[in-house]
Amino acid sequence: MKTLPVDIDRDRLPQHVAFIMDGNGRWAKQRGLPRIAGHRQGARILKDLVRCCKDWGIPTLTVYAFSTENWQRPLKEVEFLMRLFERLLRKELTEMHQAGVRLQFLGDLSELPASLQTEMTQACEITAQNQGVTFNVAVNYGSRLEITRAFQALAQQVKQGVLNPEDIDETTISQQLYTPDGPDPDLLIRTSGEQRLSNYLLWQLAYTELYFTEHFWPDFDRSAFHVALLAYQQRDRRFGKVATALSA
Ligand code: FPP
């Protein structure tokens, strides 16, 4: 499925899809493999999904790779994930750059291993002007922390006398988040049957369509994405208004 499936309406594609990549561990357990095997296969699936978004004309995707809560996992798994992120960045950067991928990271990167931070900064700089697809990776990300920091930044500006409290609006708040530009997600996909947001993009998901699938992340291939897009295109997005057909 290199090209957009014929039953998907090109004019009503989501412009931004957010993913919660859940179920790597359970996928591995089902096969009698260690959890890290699930993360490895998850990374392969993710790589093809980035390509798929480009092939099908979806300009932005954002994935939840590591939450502020994930530090509580066994140290070995955390260390494996950090090494995996770094290795993937090194290995895939050239190919992603050639494919026109613009990489961005959301989260408090200062707590990550220094060598990973260096790779991330370089990857963002190298790909900054690319226009094929924007690939946001949330690492050491927590939405409440993101919003708290936005409030702190705005409070500082008020304290310094450069911002009036009455001028604080949705735009000024959005500008302080990790996602200051680009549209909010049109569609959120969470795999593995869990139906919760887990502190992910809470501000940005205000009007997002939510899609939950039983597939474990390492099984979420192009055909599963195709099914999700079909479901999305069945939805009637009203943004709080009445349905178009009924409003006349
Ligand atoms: C959730 O499954 C998955 C993660 C916390 C890690 C996701 C990371 C990858 C897929 C690697 C991608 C790499 C980059 C560079 C973005 P889980 O471990 O919570 O699964 P479980 O719920 O079955 O235990």
Side-chain angles (χ1 to χ4, degrees):
M1 281 200 283
K2 172 87 177 139
T3 54
L4 186 68
V6 289
D7 51 0
I8 300 287
D9 180 350
R10 185 173 294 281
D11 296 331
R12 290 193 307 118
L13 277 174
Q15 296 302 293
H16 182 176
V17 184
F19 295 91
I20 301 181
M21 310 183 287
D22 201 4
N24 290 353
R26 278 164 286 166
W27 180 91
K29 193 170 173 212
Q30 258 187 1
R31 287 159 178 76
L33 299 168
R35 292 177 56 82
I36 56 172
H39 296 317
R40 263 198 212 106
Q41 178 59 20
R44 284 186 206 112
I45 281 288
L46 176 59
K47 187 181 164 192
D48 189 56
L49 217 62
V50 177
R51 248 194 257 123
C52 180
C53 285
K54 182 167 181 255
D55 292 345
W56 291 0
I58 295 170
T60 305
L61 74 157
T62 300
V63 301
Y64 206 177
F66 194 87
S67 75
T68 45
E69 289 72 36
N70 285 154
W71 295 108
Q72 291 157 34
R73 292 186 173 213
L75 182 62
K76 269 198 158 155
E77 183 171 341
V78 170
E79 285 175 350
F80 173 83
L81 282 169
M82 295 299 149
R83 275 199 310 274
L84 178 67
F85 297 152
E86 198 169 327
R87 210 175 52 234
L88 283 173
L89 270 179
R90 278 214 195 100
K91 194 165 145 256
E92 308 294 342
L93 183 62
T94 311
E95 203 181 308
M96 280 198 284
H97 186 37
Q98 280 165 358
V101 176
R102 179 168 70 127
L103 252 174
Q104 301 188 131
F105 294 94
L106 323 178
D108 181 359
L109 308 184
S110 68
E111 289 178 16
L112 302 174
S115 53
L116 178 57
Q117 289 184 46
T118 309
E119 295 288 338
M120 286 174 158
T121 311
Q122 281 175 1
C124 293
E125 283 170 7
I126 291 169
T127 63
Q129 305 305 322
N130 288 346
Q131 291 181 357
V133 59
T134 297
F135 176 30
N136 298 316
V137 184
V139 188
N140 195 23
Y141 174 88
S143 193
R144 286 189 173 180
L145 182 63
E146 177 186 34
I147 293 169
T148 304
R149 288 185 177 190
F151 285 2
Q152 286 171 346
L154 292 172
Q156 276 298 337
Q157 291 178 25
V158 171
K159 194 173 158 193
Q160 288 159 6
V162 292
L163 178 68
N164 290 319
E166 54 275 19
D167 290 335
I168 296 176
D169 58 14
E170 293 188 11
T171 308
T172 44
I173 294 172
S174 294
Q175 282 167 350
Q176 296 300 328
L177 301 176
Y178 293 125
T179 50
D181 53 11
D184 287 336
D186 296 305
L187 171 63
L188 168 86
I189 298 175
R190 181 170 191 154
T191 55
S192 91
E194 310 292 352
Q195 303 197 4
R196 55 180 172 267
L197 296 180
S198 301
N199 203 15
Y200 186 47
L201 302 174
L202 299 180
W203 175 277
Q204 297 87 338
L205 294 179
Y207 284 102
T208 303
E209 295 295 327
L210 309 181
Y211 177 85
F212 301 104
T213 169
E214 295 294 323
H215 283 289
F216 291 139
W217 177 257
D219 289 327
F220 192 79
D221 57 10
R222 284 186 186 220
S223 62
F225 190 31
H226 174 202
V227 172
L229 291 174
L230 280 174
Y232 168 79
Q233 294 200 329
Q234 297 296 317
R235 306 270 176 99
D236 179 15
R237 300 190 75 199
R238 294 194 296 278
F239 298 97
K241 302 174 204 137
V242 291
T244 329
L246 301 175
S247 61

